[in-house]
Amino acid sequence: MALTIRERVRCFLLVLVPRLFLALFRLVSPGTKRPKHLPPIRNPLLTLSAVQLAEKIRRREVSTCFMYPVLSFRFSFAIQEAARADKLIEEENGGEEVLRNRFPLLGVPLSVKESFALQGMPNSGGLKSRGKVLASVDAPPVALLKRAGAIPLGVTNTSELCMWMESSNYLYGITSNPYDLERMCGGSSGGEGSIIGGGASVIGIGSDIGGSIRMPCFFNGIFGHKPSKDVVSNDGQFPSCTGLQNDYSGSGPMCRYAEDLLPLLKIMAGPTADQLSISEEVDLKKLRFFTVVDDGGSPLTSPVDNQLIQAQKMVAARLEADLGVTVKEVSFPQLKYSFQIWDTFLALPDKDGQPPQPFVELMADGGSVWPFWELIKRIFGRSEHTVAAIGLALMGSSHSSKPSQFILKQMEELQKEMEDLLGTDGVLLYPSHPLLAPKHHHPLFTPYNIGYTGILNILGMPVTQCPLGLSKERLPLGVQVVAGKLQDHLPLAVALYLEKAFGGWVDPGMA
């Protein structure tokens, strides 16, 4: 079975058109300027992990009220909650252990992706027409984090309708990368990646249907985890998942320190954490390690940056030297079709035959939107929608009503081969993205690079994004660590090892 002639022509156009526009973009864009990044972090409390910070708060070594001198967005609520936390610590007679069990995140600052409902805060999903919409309740994972004692600072920027690789919209504007303000922070959880990577928040929550946790974590030099399917609730978000999308979306933690990943995941999962072996000790020496260096050379995606290739090779070499394991290089020919697989499966109907809500309907927000007309308006600066959103609407209208049998077959084969390889004790290294953090708007010309993360959503496997130091341009390096379904504890354990081996997060101001 092979691609039909129509599918081959579409693939050819998918390759040709973005490359032509990318060449034009490079021709007219200004030359490289001296990188501008954030200044060094001055408040030492912001260089602590959530685990360490919560411990200091419980021991009364620091007041939670002291931690919010520059907060403006949710200032009054946060101060009240911080005061209540201090009072709770003062009145607790059971000591630190009781507080640790009841409120493991007591007083820890938390930022929340704006697409999650946080009571009283905006919940627009970056859509300008929803600029006045406020959440009336908390999304389930947000509520669980608050119940554990975390104090939300506010909500952070996303791409328009959370379906793009750059966090930019006409409601809040564009968010930059703390390591180089001329570069993107990723999407759609880009605001979270930027604020945590820049040291202005300790922990955060993101969602991921194609890499929306992992790409921002990679570009901003922090840790992030996309859990196994159905472990953390996806309820309470805008836009919500329709069709089969809930099967491929995952809500998970974002943080600067690997030791925060497991406790955050455990809290966010609530009772479903029992599906995972979260408390199980992992002996890395007993795991089987594999590495895949790229997607096999898809014509749609960019070649993997050599610095990322070398970083992944260093990880493999370090694992072998430190643990005495063998890291076997493998390949999957089906990965060449990662974008097509991701694009096809997101458009599939649910078990009742209901297709996902068309993107153009989400843009319309109860009204009506004509993508071609919006494109013309955008040229003259009159549209309320980003070029990326308009492009997605146009692409959606070109989808075939019948999925490609060839692509379905590729996914079926890949799923079986990957699951057979990893089992319950296998770990796979895979590039986080083919490029280092690109300049603003660059993904408009390389949209298919999302295949490197999106394919793992469709496979339903847990993935942890791990930072690996900085490139020669002083931009974050990283790698995805993948395991079999419900084996989330394995990549989380590898993340702890990689942090010790490669240093983890680097203060952008010191880069």
Side-chain angles (χ1 to χ4, degrees):
M1 184 183 295
L3 291 170
T4 65
I5 294 176
R6 180 181 177 181
E7 289 167 347
R8 288 179 181 177
V9 171
R10 185 170 185 265
C11 185
F12 175 75
L13 292 175
L14 289 176
V15 174
L16 180 62
V17 174
R19 288 184 179 177
L20 289 174
F21 280 107
L22 177 58
L24 180 62
F25 176 75
R26 286 173 172 168
L27 183 65
V28 300
S29 61
T32 304
K33 300 178 182 178
R34 184 172 180 267
K36 302 173 185 176
H37 53 71
L38 296 183
I41 296 172
R42 292 188 175 89
N43 187 343
L45 294 176
L46 291 175
T47 62
L48 299 177
S49 69
V51 170
Q52 294 169 336
L53 189 55
E55 196 70 25
K56 284 185 174 293
I57 291 171
R58 286 191 294 268
R59 292 175 178 172
R60 305 184 191 183
E61 295 177 13
V62 61
S63 165
T64 53
C65 288
F66 172 76
M67 297 183 58
Y68 302 98
V70 296
L71 184 62
S72 59
F73 189 64
R74 197 176 176 269
F75 183 79
S76 58
F77 294 110
I79 289 296
Q80 292 171 17
E81 290 161 10
R84 286 198 294 270
D86 279 343
K87 186 176 181 181
L88 186 64
I89 293 169
E90 185 179 336
E91 295 177 348
E92 177 56 56
N93 296 320
E96 291 178 30
E97 192 60 32
V98 172
L99 286 173
R100 181 183 295 108
N101 292 333
R102 291 180 60 197
F103 307 106
L105 296 177
L106 187 60
V108 176
L110 162 74
S111 49
V112 177
K113 183 179 182 179
E114 202 258 20
S115 58
F116 285 85
L118 173 59
Q119 188 175 29
M121 295 293 105
N123 185 219
S124 69
L127 195 62
K128 193 169 183 179
S129 60
R130 285 177 57 91
K132 295 183 180 180
V133 174
L134 302 180
S136 58
V137 296
D138 293 324
V142 175
L144 289 168
L145 289 168
K146 289 174 68 175
R147 195 178 304 166
I151 299 179
L153 306 176
V155 291
T156 56
N157 202 16
T158 72
S159 55
E160 185 174 350
L161 291 168
C162 298
M163 281 298 288
W164 190 240
M165 289 179 279
E166 178 159 24
S167 293
S168 173
N169 54 69
Y170 289 112
L171 180 59
Y172 301 117
I174 193 167
T175 303
S176 295
N177 189 304
Y179 291 87
D180 183 344
L181 302 182
E182 294 180 354
R183 295 178 183 267
M184 54 178 267
C185 63
S188 59
S189 311
E192 282 299 288
S194 181
I195 196 172
I196 297 170
S201 175
V202 177
I203 53 175
I205 175 173
S207 58
D208 187 317
I209 199 170
S212 289
I213 286 175
R214 288 160 289 151
M215 277 188 286
C217 286
F218 166 52
F219 294 146
N220 296 281
I222 62 175
F223 291 89
H225 183 72
K226 182 200 79 68
S228 295
K229 174 187 169 186
D230 295 334
V231 170
V232 178
S233 172
N234 291 321
D235 294 341
Q237 296 182 55
F238 177 83
S240 58
C241 295
T242 53
L244 278 183
Q245 292 170 358
N246 195 61
D247 287 356
Y248 312 127
S249 184
S251 301
M254 301 171 67
C255 49
R256 288 195 296 279
Y257 299 100
E259 70 174 335
D260 290 335
L261 287 170
L262 192 147
L264 285 173
L265 177 60
K266 185 175 181 179
I267 292 166
M268 292 171 64
T272 58
D274 293 339
Q275 297 179 26
L276 309 175
S277 304
I278 269 183
S279 301
E280 183 179 310
E281 287 289 329
V282 177
D283 185 349
L284 296 181
K285 295 181 179 180
K286 295 182 179 179
L287 298 184
R288 295 177 299 115
F289 288 90
F290 306 93
T291 182
V292 176
V293 296
D294 58 29
D295 64 4
S298 168
L300 297 179
T301 57
S302 304
V304 178
D305 187 287
N306 187 58
Q307 293 183 84
L308 293 172
I309 293 174
Q310 295 307 314
Q312 191 164 320
K313 287 183 176 180
M314 283 194 295
V315 170
R318 188 70 180 266
L319 285 166
E320 292 181 336
D322 289 354
L323 305 179
V325 299
T326 298
V327 181
K328 183 180 180 181
E329 185 171 325
V330 295
S331 63
F332 298 94
Q334 303 91 344
L335 288 174
K336 288 191 295 186
Y337 305 100
S338 290
F339 174 79
Q340 293 98 317
I341 292 172
W342 177 78
D343 188 48
T344 296
F345 275 74
L346 283 194
L348 293 179
D350 61 20
K351 62 181 180 180
D352 298 321
Q354 293 296 316
Q357 185 177 7
F359 190 81
V360 69
E361 288 186 9
L362 291 170
M363 289 174 64
D365 190 31
S368 58
V369 166
W370 292 273
F372 280 109
W373 178 235
E374 290 300 323
L375 183 59
I376 294 171
K377 287 164 63 179
R378 181 74 268 137
I379 293 172
F380 295 97
R382 302 301 297 272
S383 176
E384 293 186 347
H385 301 286
T386 59
V387 172
I390 296 169
L392 289 170
L394 290 169
M395 285 183 64
S397 63
S398 69
H399 267 126
S400 171
S401 58
K402 187 176 181 181
S404 165
Q405 293 303 304
F406 174 79
I407 294 300
L408 295 178
K409 181 68 173 176
Q410 296 303 305
M411 174 54 189
E412 180 184 345
E413 293 175 353
L414 178 61
Q415 185 92 62
K416 184 178 187 309
E417 290 182 22
M418 192 79 83
E419 289 180 354
D420 288 348
L421 179 75
L422 295 180
T424 59
D425 63 348
V427 172
L428 175 72
L429 306 175
Y430 193 54
S432 308
H433 194 78
L435 304 175
L436 302 174
K439 289 195 172 185
H440 288 303
H441 311 301
H442 193 279
L444 290 171
F445 315 107
T446 55
Y448 315 114
N449 287 343
I450 196 175
Y452 272 84
T453 47
I455 188 63
L456 297 170
N457 291 81
I458 306 304
L459 290 169
M461 293 175 166
V463 194
T464 305
Q465 162 57 41
C466 302
L468 298 173
L470 302 181
S471 71
K472 63 183 180 182
E473 300 90 348
R474 313 303 290 169
L475 296 172
L477 300 168
V479 69
Q480 293 185 96
V481 183
V482 189
K485 293 179 180 178
L486 299 179
Q487 307 303 313
D488 296 54
H489 60 301
L490 301 185
L492 295 178
V494 174
L496 286 166
Y497 164 80
L498 291 179
E499 183 177 44
K500 292 178 182 177
F502 293 90
W505 169 76
V506 179
D507 181 350
M510 304 298 290

